[in-house]
């Protein structure tokens, strides 16, 4: 039998090595109860080492996140929770609406779920997503102008000026972190400034946030939580992270596991 401190260190080593750990792995490895395993993860989360999920914990990322140098959407892994969030978000688009579609990975995943039985307008700030939308005869596509990052996104002052001249019926925003107290946060000031303008000019605001990003804060604050009408997250999001968001007046939609 090992001491609790030693067990905690071994759990930390596993999380740092694999990026995650499950409650089942802890109970099997150290012959402790589910309740004890969850208590261990709760204590480690309080130390800022990991973020708990329903089934275990994941490695907590640094608050300052650099934008990807070369984002290749077609090569990225497709996780079930991201796919489910993208599908639910696409269902919100109505006839003749003007929509801002996030330039992140969730925006790319939404492409395959976008409605084809109605006409609407989509504004994007990703050349890769814009290229994929060329085949949609029912969609009018606007691409934000400005200096292109190597990732294919455009978020500089010219892109901000572009979207400042538009109004949106609905915007889909993503971020690096979300808490009830700090609000939505992201890794760079350019991205945050661009998102603020889109949010300001949108009637309905929908935030797409996988559970791993809820309950953590990133580097730059974008806006308060209550700005958003909806937050769409997944089945791994803990109730203790959802409740404070709902208390701010935001409708939290939790997609079901397929």
């Amino acid at each position: 039998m090992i001491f609790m401190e030693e067990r905690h260190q071994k759990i930390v080593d596993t999380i740092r090595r694999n990026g995650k750990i499950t409650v089942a792995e802890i109970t099997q490895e150290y012959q402790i109860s589910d309740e004890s395993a969850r208590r261990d993860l709760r204590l480690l989360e309080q130390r800022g080492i990991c973020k708990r999920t329903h089934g275990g914990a994941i490695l907590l990322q640094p608050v300052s996140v650099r934008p990807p140098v070369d984002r290749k959407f077609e090569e990225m892994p497709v996780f079930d929770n991201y796919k489910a969030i993208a599908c639910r978000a696409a269902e919100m688009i109505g006839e003749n609406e003007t929509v801002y579609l996030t330039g992140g990975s969730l925006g790319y995943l939404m492409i395959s779920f976008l409605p084809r039985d109605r006409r609407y307008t989509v504004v994007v700030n990703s050349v890769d997503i814009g290229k994929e939308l060329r085949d949609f005869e029912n969609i009018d596509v606007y691409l934000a102008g400005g200096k292109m990052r190597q990732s294919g996104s455009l978020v500089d002052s010219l892109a901000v000026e572009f979207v400042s001249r538009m109004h949106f019926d609905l915007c889909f925003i993503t971020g690096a972190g979300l808490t009830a107290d700090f609000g939505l946060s992201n890794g760079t000031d350019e991205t945050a400034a661009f998102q603020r303008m889109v949010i300001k000019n949108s009637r309905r605001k929908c935030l797409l946030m996988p559970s791993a990003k809820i309950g953590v804060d990133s580097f730059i604050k974008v806006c308060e939580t209550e700005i958003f009408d909806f937050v769409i997250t997944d089945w791994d999001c803990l109730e203790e992270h959802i409740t404070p968001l709902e208390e701010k007046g935001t409708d939290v939609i939790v997609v079901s596991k397929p």
Side-chain angles (χ1 to χ4, degrees):
M1 180 176 179
I2 62 175
F3 293 110
M4 184 175 68
E5 292 80 5
E6 184 180 355
R7 183 175 73 241
H8 284 183
Q9 186 56 54
K10 289 181 179 294
I11 293 172
V12 169
D13 291 341
T14 300
I15 294 173
R16 288 174 174 166
R17 182 174 62 253
N18 300 331
K20 62 180 181 179
I21 196 169
T22 66
V23 170
E25 288 172 338
I26 296 173
T27 57
Q28 182 177 0
E29 176 69 22
Y30 304 106
Q31 298 299 302
I32 60 175
S33 66
D34 281 7
E35 181 180 352
S36 295
R38 294 184 187 281
R39 183 192 63 228
D40 285 351
L41 295 178
R42 185 167 59 251
L43 293 172
L44 294 176
E45 183 180 53
Q46 291 171 357
R47 288 168 51 188
I49 293 171
C50 64
K51 180 185 178 301
R52 287 177 299 137
T53 67
H54 276 301
I58 59 175
L59 182 66
L60 197 61
Q61 298 299 320
V63 296
S64 184
V65 181
R66 294 177 178 271
V69 174
D70 185 13
R71 176 190 283 147
K72 294 182 179 179
F73 287 124
E74 67 276 6
E75 296 179 6
M76 70 180 182
V78 179
F79 301 110
D80 286 344
N81 59 333
Y82 276 62
K83 188 175 179 180
I85 291 172
C87 179
R88 180 64 181 86
E91 294 173 356
M92 292 187 168
I93 300 174
E95 180 82 27
N96 293 323
E97 288 193 325
T98 297
V99 177
Y100 167 75
L101 182 60
T102 172
S105 57
L106 278 163
Y108 183 83
L109 291 176
M110 282 180 66
I111 294 172
S112 62
F113 301 109
L114 290 176
R116 290 179 176 264
D117 61 347
R118 67 203 70 165
R119 292 204 63 84
Y120 51 98
T121 298
V122 173
V123 179
V124 296
N125 65 314
S126 164
V127 295
D128 296 309
I129 293 178
K131 180 181 177 181
E132 294 294 326
L133 293 176
R134 290 185 304 176
D135 295 332
F136 284 74
E137 296 182 357
N138 62 312
I139 301 178
D140 292 326
V141 181
Y142 287 80
L143 182 62
K147 182 180 179 181
M148 185 182 67
R149 288 175 169 176
Q150 285 183 285
S151 65
S153 64
L154 306 98
V155 294
D156 68 352
S157 59
L158 293 174
V160 173
E161 174 66 19
F162 182 90
V163 294
S164 73
R165 299 172 181 270
M166 297 179 165
H167 275 286
F168 308 101
D169 294 296
L170 173 63
C171 70
F172 294 107
I173 300 291
T174 54
L178 176 69
T179 58
D181 292 334
F182 194 60
L184 173 66
S185 51
N186 238 317
T188 70
D189 55 346
E190 278 190 329
T191 299
F194 179 85
Q195 290 181 323
R196 288 189 202 105
M197 183 57 70
V198 172
I199 292 167
K200 176 184 176 182
N201 288 357
S202 298
R203 293 177 180 173
R204 289 183 295 148
K205 308 159 187 71
C206 183
L207 182 59
L208 312 180
M209 294 294 287
S211 56
K213 298 181 179 182
I214 295 182
V216 298
D217 295 320
S218 191
F219 184 40
I220 302 290
K221 180 171 182 172
V222 178
C223 65
E224 300 290 348
T225 300
E226 54 265 35
I227 289 292
F228 293 98
D229 301 289
F230 308 97
V231 173
I232 304 180
T233 188
D234 61 74
W235 53 86
D236 260 340
C237 196
L238 297 175
E239 188 65 34
E240 64 194 70
H241 292 147
I242 294 175
T243 301
L245 301 178
E246 293 178 328
E247 290 175 348
K248 291 286 186 176
T250 298
D251 186 7
V252 180
I253 301 171
V254 180
V255 297
S256 301
K257 191 173 184 178

